[in-house]
Amino acid sequence: MSVTSKDREAAWDETPPLPERQSAVHASHPGEEVPVGTLPRAFKYAKYDFISGFLVFLIALPLCLGISLASGFPAIAGVFTAIIGGVVSALISNSELTIKGPAAGMIVIVVGCVTSFGFTGGKDIPADLAAYKLALGVAVAAAALQIVFAISRAGSLGEFFPSAAVHGLLAAIGIIIIAKQFPGMLGIKAGGEPLHLLASIPAFIMGANPEIALIGVVGLAILFLKPLIPGKWAKAIPGQLIVVLVAVPMGMYFDLTHEHTYTFANHEYTISEAFLVNVPSNMLTAITLPDFASLMTGVGWYWVAMFAIIGSLESLLSAKAVDLLDPWKRKTNQNRDLLAVGVGNLVAAFVGGLPMISEIVRSRANVDNGARTRFANLYHGLCLAVCVAAIPFLLHRIPMAALAAMLVYTGFRLAHPREFMAVYKIGVEQLIAFCVTIVGVLAIDLLWGIAIGVATELILHVLMGAPITSLFMPSAQMKDESEKSCRLVARRAAVFSTWIPLRRRIVKEGLVKGRNLTVDLSETRFVDHTVMEKLHELSHDFEAAGLTLNVTGLDDHRPVSAHPFAARRKAVASAAA
C-alpha cells in the first residue's frame, strides 16, 4: 500500500520531501482513491463529510459549552473556537480526519490562568470579565508562539516525550477534571486544589442539591450505561445528545428558569436560572477583545508557556493518534497542523474563544462516522454556527449539571483504571514514571509534573543499564549494504531523549532515499519502550512507501515484560563480553 505525498507539503517537513507515490486504495473502501481535502475537490466527498460533520456537531455542541464553562470562559467561547477551528483547519492543515476545537485536556490550564487573574466563579461579574480578557491576551501570545513553533519546524518535538509521562499527564488531567466538575454535577459551587476537592467528595455528596444532583447523576448514568446497550442504533446515537435530550425536560420539570425554593428531607434548597447555560441571543454581541496587560506580568508569561507547550503537545499527539485510525493511513504533516492550530488560536483569542487543539474524542467519532476529508471539520463548525445563531433559547435550557456530568465522564475515561493496567503490562518502570507524573501534576502543576515524569524515566533508564552520556548524545553509524539497502548500527542505548535525531536519520537514509533499512541494536545496552513503539510505528511508513524497516540485534536483550514493545536490557553476560 502507498500513501500520497505532495510537494506543497514539503516546506513544513522536518526532513527533505519524500518521493512522490501513487494513490492508495484501502480494503475498507475498494475502488476508491485516497480522499484529499483540497479546495478544488471540496464537494467530491461532501456527502460523507457533511453527514459525519453533522453527527460530530451533535457531540461537540454540549462539550463545547461544558468545556468553556469549566474553563472559566463564557459558554459561547467554546463554540467560537470550534467554528474557527473548522474553517482554519480546512484551509491550512493536511490532517484529514482530526476535529479542531476546545478540549477537556486544556480545562486545567485555562481555568488556572483565569483564576490567577482574579476569576471568582460568578461571585464578582466585573472581576470575572476582566480575568477573561486578560486570559485572552495570554492566548494571543501563546498562539503566536505556536506559529513560531510551526515555522521553525518544531512539530517533531511531539516525538520527544516518553509515553509513560504523556499518559500520566493525561490521566492527571482527567483526575483534575473529575475533582473540579463533580461538585457542579451535584449543584454545588466549590473551588480549591485538586487533592482538596477529591478529599471533599463525601461532603459534596452530603450537601448536594437533590434536584440538580438528580439531573447530573442521571446524565452520568446514561454515559456509563449506553456502551452496554447492544445494537447499531445505540452506537449511532451520541451519548452526549441523549444526556441533553433527557436533561432539558428534567430542567423544565424542576422549573429551573424561575427562582424558587423547595424542601427535601427537612432541608431547604434554592433553584434558579443560574443552574442553566447562559447563551447570548446574538452571538456577535459576545465577541470580546483581549486585554494585553496580562503580558506585562511574569505570571502572564508563565501561562503563555503553559498554553503553548501543553496545547501544542496535546494537539500533536492527538493528530498522530488519529493518523493511526485513518482507514487510508494518511500522514499528518505535524508542522503544518501546528500552524493551523496556531492560526486558529490567534483568531479565536481575538474574538473571545477558548484555545483549540486537535481533539481526539470528536476525531474518533469523525472516523467512525465515515468522514473522508478535513471538510467534515468545516461542516461540523458550520452546523455549530447555525445552531447557536438560530436556537440560542433552546441552548439556554440545558442544565449545567448535565454538562458537568459529561466532563466527569470524560475525566474518568482519561484516568480509567485500564490505563494503569495497560501501562503496568508494558513494564513496572513505565508504571512508576506514569504514577510519578500523576502525583507531580496533582501536587504542583502540569509543567512540573511532566518534567518530573521525564526526569524519573531518565533515572530509571540509568538504573536499567543505559550509560548517562547516551541519554543526551546519540551514537549510531550508517553502513551502506547496497544501492537499495543500508544498516544503522545504534550503540550504547536507544532511548526517548535521543529518538528525534535517530528518527531523522532513519527517515533521511531510508524513506527519502527510497532504501530498505535495518536498525541494528546489538551494540546497545538498553532500548526503552518509547523507541520500541516508535520503531514499530515508523515501520508502517516504510511499508506504505513499498520499503521495509527491520529491527535486529535484540537476541541478547531481555524484555522487562511480555509486552511486544517492552523495554529491552542486555543480559549481564553479554554486556560484560
Side-chain angles (χ1 to χ4, degrees):
M1 190 188 304
S2 59
V3 178
T4 303
S5 174
K6 298 294 183 182
D7 290 337
R8 67 178 185 277
E9 298 171 9
W12 299 105
D13 285 334
E14 70 267 25
T15 57
L18 305 184
E20 186 72 23
R21 307 179 193 132
Q22 299 299 314
S23 295
V25 178
H26 193 268
S28 300
H29 306 282
E32 183 179 327
E33 288 188 340
V34 173
V36 179
T38 57
L39 284 174
R41 304 174 71 179
F43 297 104
K44 182 173 182 179
Y45 304 100
K47 178 180 71 173
Y48 305 102
D49 290 339
F50 180 79
I51 292 173
S52 180
F54 177 76
L55 294 175
V56 172
F57 144 74
L58 296 176
I59 301 172
L61 178 60
L63 287 176
C64 286
L65 298 172
I67 290 169
S68 197
L69 290 168
S71 301
F73 275 39
I76 195 67
V79 179
F80 283 159
T81 300
I83 294 170
I84 293 167
V87 174
V88 170
S89 179
L91 296 176
I92 298 177
S93 177
N94 80 319
S95 186
E96 297 291 355
L97 296 179
T98 58
I99 298 295
K100 302 290 190 291
M106 293 294 289
I107 290 174
V108 178
I109 300 173
V110 181
V111 75
C113 180
V114 294
T115 301
S116 69
F117 290 132
F119 178 69
T120 67
K123 297 176 183 177
D124 186 339
I125 301 302
D128 289 352
L129 179 60
Y132 168 42
K133 291 181 177 180
L134 289 168
L136 292 177
V138 166
V140 169
L145 193 56
Q146 287 180 315
I147 293 172
V148 172
F149 287 165
I151 294 174
S152 59
R153 300 177 183 175
S156 59
L157 288 178
E159 300 277 347
F160 169 78
F161 293 93
S163 300
V166 171
H167 289 156
L169 172 69
L170 295 176
I173 288 173
I175 294 171
I176 295 173
I177 290 171
I178 293 171
K180 289 186 175 293
Q181 293 303 307
F182 191 82
M185 188 182 76
L186 302 179
I188 298 174
K189 284 191 175 183
E193 296 301 315
L195 294 177
H196 171 72
L197 291 172
L198 289 171
S200 302
I201 285 179
F204 295 149
I205 294 174
M206 294 299 295
N209 187 320
E211 291 184 354
I212 303 301
L214 182 61
I215 295 174
V217 171
V218 167
L220 190 62
I222 289 171
L223 293 170
F224 273 105
L225 295 176
K226 178 185 171 292
L228 304 179
I229 301 175
K232 291 184 177 179
W233 66 271
K235 292 181 173 59
I237 304 174
Q240 293 83 357
L241 178 61
I242 298 175
V243 171
V244 170
L245 293 177
V246 171
V248 169
M250 289 182 71
M252 295 173 68
Y253 176 77
F254 291 136
D255 196 18
L256 300 188
T257 56
H258 298 97
E259 185 170 352
H260 63 278
T261 60
Y262 71 97
T263 302
F264 181 82
N266 297 322
H267 287 84
E268 189 175 85
Y269 300 93
T270 300
I271 291 293
S272 72
E273 205 170 11
F275 290 106
L276 296 174
V277 175
N278 183 17
V279 179
S281 57
N282 183 349
M283 67 177 177
L284 295 180
T285 62
I287 292 176
T288 306
L289 298 178
D291 183 350
F292 294 106
S294 56
L295 302 181
M296 304 300 160
T297 65
V299 69
W301 283 101
Y302 168 80
W303 290 112
V304 168
M306 291 283 278
F307 276 45
I309 295 173
I310 301 299
S312 298
L313 176 61
E314 281 199 56
S315 193
L316 291 169
L317 292 173
S318 295
K320 188 169 184 177
V322 176
D323 281 351
L324 299 177
L325 301 174
D326 187 345
W328 292 273
K329 303 304 176 187
R330 292 165 291 190
K331 300 294 292 183
T332 294
N333 185 309
Q334 296 281 26
N335 293 305
R336 185 169 160 183
D337 194 59
L338 186 55
L339 176 68
V341 170
V343 172
N345 278 329
L346 190 66
V347 177
F350 267 112
V351 300
L354 272 171
M356 74 177 67
I357 66 169
S358 297
E359 207 282 328
I360 187 65
V361 175
R362 275 155 269 165
S363 298
R364 175 60 188 260
N366 194 38
V367 174
D368 293 342
N369 293 335
R372 298 297 196 266
T373 76
R374 56 185 178 269
F375 285 98
N377 192 11
L378 173 65
Y379 295 136
H380 122 274
L382 294 178
C383 286
L384 282 168
V386 171
C387 177
V388 174
I391 53 171
F393 57 93
L394 288 181
L395 300 183
H396 179 55
R397 292 281 187 172
I398 300 175
M400 290 201 296
L403 301 181
M406 294 179 199
L407 294 177
V408 168
Y409 180 70
T410 299
F412 176 78
R413 292 183 65 182
L414 287 172
H416 199 288
R418 281 198 302 262
E419 291 293 322
F420 289 79
M421 287 303 302
V423 174
Y424 170 72
K425 288 179 180 179
I426 297 172
V428 174
E429 90 289 353
Q430 292 295 297
L431 182 63
I432 293 172
F434 177 81
C435 292
V436 167
T437 303
I438 293 175
V439 173
V441 171
L442 294 177
I444 310 175
D445 62 31
L446 277 79
L447 279 182
W448 274 108
I450 196 166
I452 292 170
V454 169
T456 300
E457 186 113 350
L458 291 173
I459 293 170
L460 291 170
H461 288 354
V462 173
L463 294 177
M464 296 179 74
I468 294 178
T469 55
S470 70
L471 303 180
F472 310 101
M473 298 174 58
S475 177
Q477 181 181 1
M478 185 65 66
K479 298 180 179 179
D480 293 332
E481 296 182 329
S482 69
E483 185 179 348
K484 290 294 183 181
S485 64
C486 56
R487 178 180 295 267
L488 180 69
V489 181
R491 297 189 173 90
R492 299 188 296 177
V495 295
F496 74 91
S497 54
T498 58
W499 167 249
I500 291 177
L502 185 65
R503 179 188 184 278
R504 186 179 295 117
R505 199 163 181 186
I506 292 172
V507 170
K508 179 180 178 181
E509 298 296 331
L511 287 175
V512 174
K513 294 184 179 180
R515 300 192 294 180
N516 299 318
L517 189 142
T518 299
V519 178
D520 186 347
L521 299 172
S522 60
E523 296 185 29
T524 59
R525 298 184 195 175
F526 178 73
V527 183
D528 76 356
H529 158 68
T530 300
V531 171
M532 292 296 299
E533 185 177 50
K534 291 185 181 298
L535 283 172
H536 176 73
E537 292 174 4
L538 201 53
S539 68
H540 291 302
D541 294 346
F542 273 75
E543 181 183 351
L547 303 169
T548 57
L549 174 66
N550 295 315
V551 179
T552 63
L554 291 174
D555 292 342
D556 293 331
H557 292 67
R558 294 178 180 173
V560 300
S561 75
H563 194 277
F565 305 138
R568 263 77 168 167
R569 57 193 304 186
K570 204 161 195 176
V572 176
S574 299

